[in-house]
Structures are given as C-alpha cells and as structure tokens.
Amino acid sequence: LCFYLLLEIIIQNIVYVKGRRAGGTFGAAGRIMELLLKHRGRKALWIDTGHKNMLKAIRRIILPMLKDIPERAWRFNQQEMSLALWNGSYLDFGSAENPEGIEGWGYDNIVVNEAGIVLKDEKLYYNTLVPMGIEGTGAQWFFVGTPKGKGLFHQLYLKGLLGEDGWVSFKHPSSINKFVNTKLLERLARTMPTAVRQQELFGDFLEDGESFFLNLQGASSGAAACWPCSPSRRRSARTS
C-alpha cells in the first residue's frame, strides 16, 4: 500500500495530505501498531477529532489488527482510553474536544488523525501536544488528514514541501485507495462543485470556506478529473 510505505519513512515529522477515503487512518494505524509491537516500552499517542470518532477507529481498525495475537497479550481499557501490550508498549488515545485530559505525559510517537480538523485549534497543537514530544530525541509525528481550508495543517505541509530539516510531506488523491470504485469516483468528481472536488477528492488546500462557496460552476462543467498517484515531494530517506 503506497500510503503505508510513506509512513515507514524514518524522519521526525511526516505530513500526509490526502483526499477522502484514501486510507490515511488505516495506514497510520498500521504503522503505529508495527512500531509498538516491534519495540519494547514504546509510548504512543493517537489524537482524533472527538471521542466517538476515536472509538470507531479503535474498534474498526486498530483492535482488529491484533486478531492474530492472543488476547492475554494485550488489553484495551476504554475508561482510560489506552491500549497496553505485553511488551510494555502502549497507545493512549486523546480527543481534541478535551485537550485538558491529554496533558501530563510524554510520547515516542504521536499521530494526529483528521489533522485538517484537529489543527484548526493551534492552541491544542502548540500548548498541549508539542510539549509531549520533547524528551529524548523527540517524538516522531504523523499528521494525517484531508485539508479543511488553509491554516496550521497547511503550514506544516509546506515545511516538508519546502525541504525543511526533519519534515517530509506527501499528498494523494482519493483514488490511491485500491478499494475505491474508480468509475463512481470519476462520476462524483464530474458532478461536484470544483472547489469541493479539489479539496475533498484531491486533497488541495483552499482558502477557508472556498470549498463551499467558490467555483460552483464546476458542478455543471462536466470537467473530467485527473487522478495522479505520486507524492507532492519525494525526499531521499532511509526506510525501516
């Protein structure tokens, strides 16, 4: 899976921008679980938009990844929102709706899922999350999501795009997911307003609100969509 290989890059900050249903959440979950299973005593944090969305990711994506591991070797505590493994590694879960409940701990890996939404709150990032990743060599960050206007997520994306040290950025359209119905996707793209299509299916950063109010003529233009499958910028980096 293309998106999963991107997340395997060993670099401090990975920004993965994608169209809807591209598989970013699945890829991030797979990579973080691989790291937790491979390294003893690994500490990881998963941040999501809200409690309900977080539980869906846990029950439908993360826990099923442990199906081949004996149940006695892991334990998910829903009250504490933490998944503990037999090797001392654990994955804590936090909601952007309750940042006060996240603070107080340090981590080796931090996943910001639905980053286009979560990072609209810059205070959450700078005041709550950043201090959690400053121990040792620093946490490895995964920022994954579909853009929701320009803001902090766009700023972080530009860091990798411009080659800032310790950052790498990629962008994929919805069609990167092999399970997506390509014909249905192309039909949908032809009927959507242009700006909505560019944001939701191609993962383009637009000015706030532009995806809903600009270029509405695209809904009737019938313009065919192009579906590239390449990162917006490739940097040479060692993979594990």
Side-chain angles (χ1 to χ4, degrees), residues 87-105:
N87 63 358
S89 294
Y90 59 83
L91 175 58
D92 289 341
F93 298 89
S95 166
E97 295 174 336
N98 181 29
E100 294 81 8
I102 305 172
E103 295 185 8
W105 306 98

Side-chain angles (χ1 to χ4, degrees), residues 45 49 55 64 66 73 80 83 98 105 110 135-136 161 179 199 210-211 219 236:
L45 173 67
T49 54
L55 276 177
L66 298 172
E80 297 182 2
L83 171 64
N98 181 29
W105 306 98
I110 299 176
E135 297 178 17
L161 203 65
F179 298 108
Q199 175 176 279
E210 184 178 4
S211 60
S236 57

